[in-house]
Structure formats: structure tokens, C-alpha cells
């Protein structure tokens, strides 16, 4: 327990020095299902500095996806507000690109290259030839150069997620949002993709929010981890990940994994998954 | 080129001849049955044999009359079909973009879709008089509603993730409909277009039969009508054969190719 640093208000302290890239203030999100309201996210505040990779870690159903969608501009919070660079988030925008968990986020009628290039043309307004060139480069960086002219339905799940990641990175958003992009992949592929994503993030210095319920995944890809209580989601704790801890198989990695696990189980009042 | 597309190609060409062979067998079987029954019946006024029908078909084409009739029908058909597709596209797009449009389409289709196009003919005659505009009007009616319903259900079944991804890239309004919803819902739209094409033909022939004697530059329906009146039964059958042949051609060449170039290539084929 001693090694875990609780930093409930560290975000606010940092905000005084440099204005944060993203600030989420007292956000509550509710769904209307039938006659009653379901509170999915309850009074969450967080700040994100440029270059950080924030992981939202919590049990299934705690509202991680909901919070991410609110930041993406797809859902409006019931109360509270979200600002990117001081501007209120009012709807979806290419400034905040989301990579979804589902494989059907690609346009099935376009090839891999056309999918990435189309994103560049519509989101960034690049001319056709330039979009194609940038797309080719990114497809190469995610290791799909041989499949540039394949249609998505001929790709495996992992390859489709690579395309979605390439499309999002290519657009160069201010903030990259990833909602369990590897959840539906097998363990081996997931591990490889975590490492590849980490390399891309470090290369591009992108600011990102990554949703997961895998503790090892959180430690591997994040610079800071927020743990959430079960439904309705609240932040339990925040932890900065050191370079030592990020090395898979190291003592520090295992130690942090164990502490986070404990934290998640503590905050859980019923044991359903 | 990926390995997958290369591997899929031989399977497709291997299957096609077998399919064509079976179709041909069904077709010749039907012709054989027809010929046998007609010979047994021995009453050419009720049922002409296959060879007299084809002779009538040949002379109809040779004299140019059947060609003129076919072209006249196709012209009206295409104008009406295009009009119906345009109306359906407007209605379905409006429905996809606004709640009002959605409700309006719901009410309109439940009112007009069950209404047979021929039932509108008397009104069409009142409004537009006898001639092409009336027939075009009823063809538009017969194409627009089923196609609008197909398009609308297609739009509604587009995956929410795909919609969100598109909005994330900054798409909205008409561009969202044209560049995202239409291709994503193309399987349903294509089957709507097929149904609309069949409805358009039925309506056209029925309308021409109803207009009967008064039509000067009539089409195939008119050709069938006068030949029945003159008891030229082989020509009646020749007229029907032309309709069937055009149907086979459009299905076999046009819709199949479109389907192969689009939904099958995109892996969206519905089975
Ligand atoms: N469209 C919706 N309508 C009504 N309730 C919803 C809807 N989407 C989510 N919820 C509810 O909101 C809560 C949070 O859902 P959310 O998808 O954000 O969880 P999550 O943390 O992403 O879970 P997981 O890890 O399983 O993806 C859940 O209790 C869920 O029942
Ligand atoms: Mg989720």
C-alpha cells in the first residue's frame, strides 16, 4: 500500500502552473432508459496536460466508455462541463479522434488506404493526392503496407484495429481517445498491439485517453492511471506510472499491478463483473 | 493485392458456370413443358406452340412494330423509374436527417404503400389526361414508396459505431447521407431498386392495358391488348416474352453486375 501515491487533486495543482489541454469539471452523465434515469458517470473531474496518456481503469459497467464518449462530444453531460484548450466541447470533432472497440468503425466500401485517406480529406481537408501519400505512410507504420488495397472485411480483427489507429493518428488530433481498442483480440495480439501503440504514442508525443479494464494494459500504455469505482463511476485514485513500472516483467510492474488490483477490489461493493 | 482477394476469385468463377447451367436447364424444361402441352391441347387460340410464338416474335421484330412498342414502353418506364428513385431518395434522406422527416415518411408510406398504383389511374387521368404523364405518375407512385421504405430501413440499420466514426471525421448533413449512409445501406437500397423495377413494369403494363384503345403511341401493354382483341394469340405471347426477356436481361446483366461490383466486393452481401 505504501508505494501507491494517491493524488486526488494533483490535476488542480498542475492547472495553476500550465493551463491543461483538457479539463473535465464535475461531469455527470445520465442515460434515460425507459422511464428512469441511469447515472453512468457521477461527478467526475479531471485535468489532462499535453503529452500525457491517461488511462481510465475500472470494472465493467462503471461508465468509462460513457465518459470517453462525453469527451468525444457524442453524448452531452447532464451537469458539468468539458473544455479542450479552454473551448467548450459541444459535439464530435476531428480534434478529438476516437478509436472504438468495435471492428465496424471502418467504411467497408473503401480499401485500407482509402479509409485512412478519406479521414484525412474530410477531417483535415487535405487534397486527394496528399491524403493518399500521408495515408500510405501511416499504413506502413502500423505494418499493413501489403494490405493497403484490401477491403476491411478481408482483414482480421487486429488488422482492422490497426487501420482505425492509423486513421486516427494520421488526422493528428489534439487528443486521441481509445475505447478498449484491443478488448476483442487474443492475448498475444493484444500484447503486441499494446507495444506498437506505446511506440507510436512516444514517437508522436500524442495526448491520449485510453479506456481499459485490463490492469496490465493500463500500466503498459499509460503515463497516469485513474481507477474508477463500480457503477456509477467515480474516481477512486490516480497514479503516475514510472518508466520502471512500465517494463513488462519487472518487479515494479508486478508490484503496481498488485496494488491496482487491490484498489479496484476495495472500491467494489458487489462482485459482479 | 491481398492474398484473400486472390483466393476468393477462383471460387467465384468456378461457381458461375454451374449456376448458369442450372438456370438454363430450368428454362429449357419450362419451354419443353409448354410445347408439349400446347401440342396436346391443339388450340392455338388459347395456347400457341413455342415455335409459332417465336415466329410471331421474329416477325414482330422484323416488321419493326415490336421494336417500336418496346422502345415506347422502356422510355416511359425509365422516366417513371428515375422519378420514383428521385422521390424516394429525397424522402429517405429527409427522414435520415430529421425527426419530422422520419415521422412524415412513416405516415406517408403506411398510407400510400398499400395503395395499388392502378387504383390511382382514374385520378391520374383526371389530372394529366390520357398519355405519358399519367403513366409516369403512377409508375413514380409504385416505385417511390417501397424504395423509400427500403432505403430508410437500410439507413436505420447502419451500425452506431460507423455513424460515430463518420461524425468524428466531421461529416454531417447531406454529405453524411451521400457518403456514409447510402453506401453503408447499399444492400437494402439495391434490393429496393430491384423491387421497384419489378413494380414499375407491372404498373406500366397494367396501365397500358387499361388505357386500351385510346392510346396512339402505345407500348407493349397496348401491343398485347390489340393482339388479344384481334385474336392474334401468338403475338400476345410474343409481347409477354419480350417483357420476360427484358426482365431477365436487366436482372442478369445490370443488377447482378452492380451487386458484384459493390456489396459483394465490400463483404456486405446479405444471405
Ligand atoms: N445507451 C445506453 N442506454 C442506457 N444505459 C446505458 C447506455 N449505455 C450504457 N448504459 C449504462 O451506463 C453504465 C455505464 O456504461 P459504459 O458502457 O460507460 O460502461 P463501461 O465502463 O465502458 O463498461 P465496459 O468496461 O463493459 O465497456 C452501465 O451501467 C450501462 O448499463
Ligand atoms: Mg466500455
Amino acid at each position: 500500500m505504501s508505494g501507491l501515491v494517491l493524488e486526488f487533486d494533483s490535476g488542480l495543482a498542475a492547472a495553476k502552473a500550465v493551463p491543461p489541454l483538457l479539463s473535465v469539471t464535475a461531469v455527470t452523465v445520465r442515460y434515460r432508459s425507459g422511464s428512469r434515469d441511469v447515472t453512468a458517470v457521477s461527478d467526475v473531474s479531471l485535468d489532462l496536460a499535453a503529452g500525457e496518456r491517461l488511462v481510465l481503469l475500472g470494472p465493467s459497467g462503471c461508465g468509462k466508455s460513457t465518459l470517453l464518449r462525453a469527451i468525444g462530444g457524442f453524448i452531452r453531460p447532464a451537469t458539468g462541463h468539458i473544455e479542450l484548450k479552454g473551448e467548450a466541447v459541444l459535439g464530435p470533432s476531428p480534434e478529438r479522434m476516437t478509436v472504438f472497440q468495435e471492428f465496424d468503425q471502418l467504411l467497408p466500401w473503401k480499401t485500407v488506404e482509402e479509409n485512412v485517406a478519406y479521414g484525412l480529406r474530410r477531417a483535415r481537408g487535405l487534397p486527394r493526392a496528399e491524403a493518399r501519400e500521408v495515408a500510405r505512410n501511416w499504413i506502413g507504420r502500423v505494418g499493413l503496407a501489403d494490405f493497403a488495397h484490401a477491403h476491411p472485411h478481408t482483414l482480421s480483427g487486429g488488422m482492422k484495429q490497426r487501420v482505425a489507429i492509423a486513421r486516427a493518428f494520421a488526422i493528428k488530433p489534439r487528443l486521441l481517445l481509445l475505447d478498449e481498442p484491443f478488448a476483442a483480440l487474443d492475448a498475444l495480439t493484444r500484447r503486441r498491439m499494446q507495444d506498437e501503440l506505446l511506440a507510436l504514442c512516444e514517437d508522436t508525443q500524442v495526448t491520449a485517453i485510453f479506456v481499459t479494464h485490463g490492469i496490465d494494459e493500463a500500466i503498459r500504455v499509460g503515463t497516469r492511471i485513474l481507477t474508477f469505482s463500480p457503477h456509477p463511476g467515480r474516481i477512486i485514485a490516480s497514479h503516475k506510472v514510472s518508466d520502471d513500472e512500465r517494463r513488462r516483467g519487472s518487479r515494479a510492474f508486478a508490484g503496481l499491478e498488485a496494488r491496482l488490483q487491490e484498489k479496484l477490489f476495495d472500491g467494489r461493493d458487489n462482485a459482479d463483473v | 493485392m491481398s492474398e484473400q482477394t486472390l483466393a476468393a476469385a477462383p471460387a467465384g468463377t468456378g461457381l458461375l458456370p454451374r449456376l448458369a447451367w442450372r438456370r438454363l436447364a430450368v428454362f429449357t424444361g419450362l419451354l419443353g413443358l409448354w410445347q408439349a402441352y400446347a401440342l396436346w391441347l391443339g388450340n392455338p387460340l388459347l395456347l400457341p406452340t413455342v415455335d409459332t410464338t417465336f415466329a410471331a416474335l421474329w416477325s414482330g421484330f422484323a416488321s419493326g412494330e415490336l421494336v417500336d412498342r418496346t422502345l415506347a414502353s422502356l422510355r416511359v418506364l425509365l422516366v417513371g423509374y428515375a422519378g420514383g428513385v428521385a422521390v424516394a431518395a429525397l424522402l429517405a434522406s429527409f427522414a435520415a436527417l430529421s425527426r419530422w422527416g422520419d415521422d412524415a415518411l412513416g405516415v406517408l408510406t403506411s398510407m400510400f404503400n398499400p395503395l395499388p398504383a392502378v387504383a390511382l389511374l382514374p385520378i391520374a387521368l383526371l389530372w394529366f389526361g390520357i398519355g405519358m404523364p399519367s403513366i409516369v405518375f403512377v409508375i413514380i407512385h409504385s416505385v417511390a414508396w417501397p424504395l423509400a421504405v427500403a432505403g430508410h430501413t437500410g439507413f436505420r440499420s447502419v451500425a452506431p459505431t460507423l455513424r460515430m466514426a463518420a461524425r468524428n471525421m466531421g461529416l454531417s448533413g447531406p454529405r453524411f447521407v451521400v457518403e456514409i449512409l447510402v453506401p453503408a445501406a447499399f444492400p437494402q437500397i439495391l434490393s429496393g431498386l430491384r423491387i421497384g423495377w419489378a413494380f414499375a413494369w407491372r404498373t406500366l403494363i397494367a396501365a397500358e392495358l387499361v388505357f386500351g384503345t385510346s392510346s396512339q403511341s402505345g407500348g407493349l401493354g397496348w401491343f398485347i391488348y390489340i393482339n388479344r382483341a384481334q385474336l392474334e394469340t401468338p403475338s400476345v405471347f410474343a409481347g409477354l416474352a419480350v417483357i420476360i426477356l427484358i426482365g431477365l436481361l436487366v436482372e442478369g446483366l445490370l443488377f447482378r453486375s452492380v451487386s458484384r461490383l459493390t456489396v459483394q466486393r465490400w463483404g456486405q452481401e446479405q444471405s
Side-chain angles (χ1 to χ4, degrees):
Chain A
M1 210 50 211
S2 57
L4 181 65
V5 191
L6 294 177
E7 311 170 310
F8 283 102
D9 290 316
S10 71
L12 281 178
K16 300 220 166 76
V18 198
L21 180 78
L22 175 81
S23 70
V24 173
T25 319
V27 161
T28 298
V29 187
R30 294 199 185 92
Y31 287 109
R32 197 166 304 133
S33 67
S35 53
R36 64 196 191 92
D37 282 359
V38 179
T39 303
V41 176
S42 166
D43 191 28
V44 167
S45 297
L46 60 92
D47 280 340
L48 191 64
E52 266 193 297
R53 293 191 302 276
L54 183 71
V55 175
L56 310 181
L57 178 66
S60 183
C62 74
K64 306 177 298 287
S65 297
T66 305
L67 178 58
L68 202 74
R69 270 166 206 196
I71 296 171
F74 298 107
I75 316 176
R76 256 213 208 150
T79 60
H81 48 95
I82 303 170
E83 284 177 0
L84 184 78
K85 282 239 158 186
E87 274 182 44
V89 165
L90 297 173
S93 145
E95 284 199 322
R96 289 164 271 115
M97 276 305 291
T98 303
V99 176
F100 297 93
Q101 177 180 345
E102 293 82 4
F103 294 155
D104 54 10
Q105 59 192 303
L106 302 175
L107 312 180
W109 57 93
K110 290 190 183 292
T111 63
V112 167
E113 184 181 294
E114 286 164 357
N115 259 286
V116 179
Y118 180 76
L120 284 163
R121 290 204 291 132
R122 291 291 168 260
R124 296 247 322 268
L126 291 193
R128 198 177 282 267
E130 193 185 342
R132 173 166 297 193
E133 202 162 303
V134 178
R136 269 211 198 117
N137 175 29
W138 274 101
I139 291 163
R141 283 177 83 166
V142 296
L144 288 178
D146 290 347
F147 296 91
H149 301 295
H151 279 91
H153 73 104
T154 64
L155 304 179
S156 70
M159 289 155 97
K160 284 183 204 165
Q161 294 308 78
R162 282 201 175 97
V163 180
I165 287 170
R167 179 172 71 182
F169 267 99
I171 288 171
K172 287 208 174 76
R174 277 181 202 276
L175 179 61
L176 185 63
L177 305 169
L178 302 114
D179 189 356
E180 304 197 50
F182 310 144
L185 303 177
D186 63 279
L188 220 65
T189 313
R190 193 182 313 144
R191 248 173 108 121
R192 198 166 63 227
M193 300 227 359
Q194 286 162 6
D195 294 350
E196 287 174 11
L197 180 72
L198 182 66
L200 282 181
C201 287
E202 285 179 341
D203 265 14
T204 55
Q205 286 299 305
V206 72
T207 314
I209 303 183
F210 190 100
V211 165
T212 181
H213 48 216
I215 297 174
D216 58 330
E217 186 164 272
I219 302 171
R220 188 72 189 133
V221 299
T223 59
R224 182 154 63 104
I225 299 172
L226 291 180
T227 48
F228 280 74
S229 70
H231 180 86
R234 292 166 185 283
I235 298 173
I236 313 175
S238 163
H239 179 85
K240 279 216 163 76
V241 183
S242 68
D243 288 342
D244 235 13
E245 287 164 331
R246 196 167 300 125
R247 265 202 309 281
R248 225 196 307 261
S250 71
R251 282 262 281 283
F253 185 98
L256 177 58
E257 193 172 8
R259 290 196 304 276
L260 285 172
Q261 184 132 24
E262 200 178 318
K263 202 74 217 157
L264 284 174
F265 274 102
D266 278 353
R268 170 175 294 198
D269 32 35
N270 50 0
D272 61 303
V273 178
Chain B
M1 267 295 134
S2 72
E3 290 167 16
Q4 282 90 335
T5 45
L6 283 178
T13 49
L15 213 71
L16 208 68
R18 244 192 305 155
L19 266 174
W21 182 83
R22 253 188 257 127
R23 278 158 200 274
L24 210 67
V26 170
F27 193 65
T28 42
L30 275 175
L31 284 183
L33 276 178
W34 170 11
Q35 179 75 350
Y37 185 64
L39 286 174
W40 178 78
L41 196 67
N43 185 347
L45 276 184
L46 285 184
L47 185 68
T49 55
V50 174
D51 50 294
T52 47
T53 300
F54 274 86
L57 193 62
W58 179 250
S59 70
F61 272 117
S63 72
E65 194 197 355
L66 209 43
V67 179
D68 289 347
R69 297 299 186 205
T70 306
L71 288 180
S73 275
L74 279 177
R75 202 162 57 98
V76 180
L77 188 77
L78 287 179
V79 173
Y81 189 67
V85 171
V87 171
L90 275 178
L91 286 171
S93 309
F94 194 40
L97 291 175
S98 86
R99 281 270 157 81
W100 272 97
D102 192 64
D103 284 333
L105 183 65
V107 173
L108 288 173
T109 49
S110 49
M111 277 165 63
F112 292 124
N113 206 12
L115 202 61
V118 182
L120 283 183
L121 256 187
I123 295 174
L125 286 174
L126 264 180
W127 288 349
F128 305 109
I130 290 168
M132 177 157 156
S134 288
I135 304 188
V136 167
F137 175 79
V138 290
I139 292 177
I140 289 177
H141 165 85
S142 71
V143 172
W145 306 116
L147 183 56
V149 170
H152 188 52
T153 41
F155 288 174
R156 289 235 288 227
S157 60
V158 174
T161 323
L162 189 64
R163 288 169 180 274
M164 284 198 277
R167 290 211 287 145
N168 207 170
M169 292 186 281
L171 285 135
S172 62
R175 183 167 253 179
F176 178 71
V177 175
V178 172
E179 295 187 3
I180 303 296
L181 292 185
V182 169
F186 207 67
Q188 287 95 329
I189 292 176
L190 193 61
S191 80
L193 285 171
R194 278 179 161 147
I195 292 170
W197 178 253
F199 280 13
W201 261 116
R202 290 182 202 183
T203 307
L204 172 75
I205 301 300
E208 285 182 346
L209 286 172
V210 170
F211 278 151
T213 49
S214 45
S215 179
Q216 292 307 310
S217 58
L220 281 169
W222 169 236
F223 179 84
I224 292 170
Y225 181 87
I226 44 166
N227 280 297
R228 188 203 60 86
Q230 297 163 359
L231 294 179
E232 289 284 349
T233 315
S235 292
V236 173
F237 274 73
L240 292 174
V242 172
I243 295 171
I244 290 171
L245 284 175
I246 293 175
L248 284 174
L249 275 178
V250 168
E251 172 60 34
L253 294 183
L254 188 71
F255 284 121
R256 247 164 213 274
S257 319
V258 170
S259 163
R260 201 173 49 242
L261 288 175
T262 56
V263 290
Q264 288 181 30
R265 199 150 73 98
W266 307 337
Q268 287 177 311
E269 197 178 16
Q270 293 176 317
S271 45

